[in-house]
Amino acid sequence: SGETNSLLVNTAGATTLNGLVGNTDRLSTLTTDASGVTVINSSSILTTSHQTFNDAVKLDTNTTLDSNSNGNVTFNSSLDSVAGETNSLLVNTGGATTFDGLVGNTDRLSTLTTNAGGSTVINTSSIKTVTDQTYNDAVKLDTNTTLDSNTNGNITFNGTLDSTSAETNSLLLNTGGTTTFNGLVGNTDRLSTVTTDAAGSTVINTSSIKTVTDQTYNDAVKLDANTTLDTSTSGDVTFNSTLDSVTGETNSLQVNTSGTTTFNGLVGNTDRLSMLTTNAGGTTVINTSSVKTVSDQTYNDAVKLDTDTTLDSSTSGNITFNNSLDSATGETNSLLVNTSGATTFNGLVGNTDR
């Protein structure tokens, strides 16, 4: 009592924690060596500073790891539930939580949650849970990563999401639930690519998502804020499903890329965007029957129609083509423009493909 002392465990066997650790008087640090395995069968491990698990960790119950003075919580090897179980992990620290090994690859965690303080560094190719993954702190990707939930769990980023400094790493999100970006993505250090799978939905509640190359949204996308999607090296920005504002809102989308922006699903059909703007570089492919906004639609790049299309503004918005307008190669598609505002063609229309 009244002290904070450290514990280092060295064994090639199993280190098993079956009772509360540091619950009455915290340890200063807890460290296990690289050989063997650590089984955590306790609801909490409380330290003042660092917790470093150099060996494989197995969760035998729902567990909270807590440091009250910005200590780092580090997993240098794999992290799983005990075989046949699915247990949750909550990490509370103002320091860095680091995953250097596969998470849930053999036996999935039920949920994974980090608190709002500090940061999470993901330096593993995959994190697999049964349900939710919630990152309340800033996340840094230190390698190409896949986050996966196999029962429609929600994957939520409540802080910023970046690559580790001087790197550009990719993110693939697989879930039938909702993927939500509530903080800036790639604003400090860009991701290489962002990809979501076809199941579920993606909610973009941040002002910008920045990548080096492609952004591919295979699921339905909802805009919960005015948003800019930006790629720095001619990456493609692709919507393979619907694109709407969140229910009851009208939010704008600006796409900046010298690559191809493709709309393969209805845009604003359920909840209109306020405005839609593409930059002057690259091309826009419209492969959907309608794009609906409240006000302006401005296409600064070359536009290709890949199907018969209606562009519609409900409040006298201007619909402007500042570059060429054609059908996709080898096709002849129709365009209907519905607006009480001005429709302007500033580039050749049908010159390459009528």
Side-chain angles (χ1 to χ4, degrees):
S1 180
E3 300 181 6
T4 53
N5 297 303
S6 65
L7 175 63
L8 169 62
V9 181
N10 292 329
T11 183
T15 301
T16 304
L17 305 168
N18 284 322
L20 294 171
V21 178
N23 191 63
T24 304
D25 291 278
R26 291 178 182 254
L27 307 193
S28 57
T29 63
L30 174 62
T31 309
T32 63
D33 67 351
S35 55
V37 62
T38 295
V39 177
I40 301 176
N41 186 30
S42 172
S43 62
S44 68
I45 298 178
L46 308 180
T47 56
T48 303
S49 184
H50 306 323
Q51 298 182 33
T52 307
F53 302 95
N54 290 304
D55 53 1
V57 174
K58 300 279 190 178
L59 300 183
D60 201 12
T61 191
N62 299 328
T63 301
T64 299
L65 306 181
D66 183 284
S67 168
N68 67 353
S69 61
N70 301 335
N72 298 326
V73 178
T74 306
F75 300 91
N76 283 321
S77 186
S78 60
L79 169 63
D80 292 277
S81 293
V82 166
E85 300 181 11
T86 54
N87 295 304
S88 67
L89 177 63
L90 168 61
V91 182
N92 291 332
T93 183
T97 300
T98 304
F99 300 100
D100 284 323
L102 293 169
V103 178
N105 193 61
T106 304
D107 290 276
R108 291 178 183 254
L109 308 194
S110 59
T111 63
L112 175 61
T113 308
T114 65
N115 71 332
S119 63
T120 293
V121 178
I122 301 176
N123 185 30
T124 181
S125 59
S126 73
I127 296 178
K128 297 179 180 180
T129 55
V130 175
T131 60
D132 300 343
Q133 298 181 35
T134 307
Y135 303 94
N136 289 303
D137 51 3
V139 173
K140 299 279 190 178
L141 300 184
D142 203 13
T143 192
N144 298 329
T145 301
T146 299
L147 305 182
D148 183 283
S149 167
N150 67 353
T151 61
N152 301 336
N154 298 324
I155 300 177
T156 306
F157 300 92
N158 284 321
T160 58
L161 171 61
D162 292 277
S163 292
T164 294
S165 181
E167 298 182 10
T168 53
N169 295 305
S170 67
L171 178 62
L172 170 60
L173 298 145
N174 291 331
T175 183
T178 302
T179 299
T180 304
F181 300 100
N182 285 322
L184 293 169
V185 178
N187 193 61
T188 304
D189 291 276
R190 289 178 184 254
L191 308 195
S192 58
T193 63
V194 173
T195 308
T196 65
D197 69 347
S201 62
T202 294
V203 176
I204 301 176
N205 185 30
T206 180
S207 59
S208 72
I209 296 179
K210 297 180 179 179
T211 55
V212 175
T213 60
D214 300 343
Q215 298 182 34
T216 307
Y217 303 94
N218 289 304
D219 53 2
V221 174
K222 298 277 191 178
L223 301 183
D224 200 13
N226 298 330
T227 301
T228 298
L229 305 181
D230 183 283
T231 170
S232 61
T233 60
S234 303
D236 298 331
V237 178
T238 306
F239 299 91
N240 283 322
S241 186
T242 58
L243 170 62
D244 291 277
S245 292
V246 166
T247 301
E249 300 181 9
T250 54
N251 296 304
S252 67
L253 176 63
Q254 176 168 347
V255 181
N256 293 334
T257 183
S258 297
T260 302
T261 300
T262 304
F263 301 99
N264 285 322
L266 294 170
V267 178
N269 192 62
T270 304
D271 291 276
R272 291 178 184 254
L273 309 194
S274 58
M275 299 184 299
L276 175 61
T277 308
T278 64
N279 71 333
T283 61
T284 293
V285 176
I286 301 176
N287 185 31
T288 181
S289 59
S290 71
V291 176
K292 297 180 180 179
T293 55
V294 174
S295 58
D296 299 344
Q297 297 181 35
T298 308
Y299 303 94
N300 289 303
D301 51 3
V303 174
K304 299 279 189 179
L305 300 184
D306 203 11
T307 193
D308 298 332
T309 301
T310 299
L311 306 182
D312 185 282
S313 169
S314 61
T315 60
S316 305
N318 299 323
I319 298 181
T320 306
F321 299 90
N322 283 321
N323 206 310
S324 61
L325 170 62
D326 292 276
S327 290
T329 302
E331 300 180 11
T332 54
N333 295 304
S334 67
L335 176 63
L336 170 61
V337 180
N338 291 330
T339 184
S340 299
T343 300
T344 305
F345 299 97
N346 287 320
L348 294 169
V349 179
N351 191 61
T352 305
D353 290 276
R354 290 177 183 258

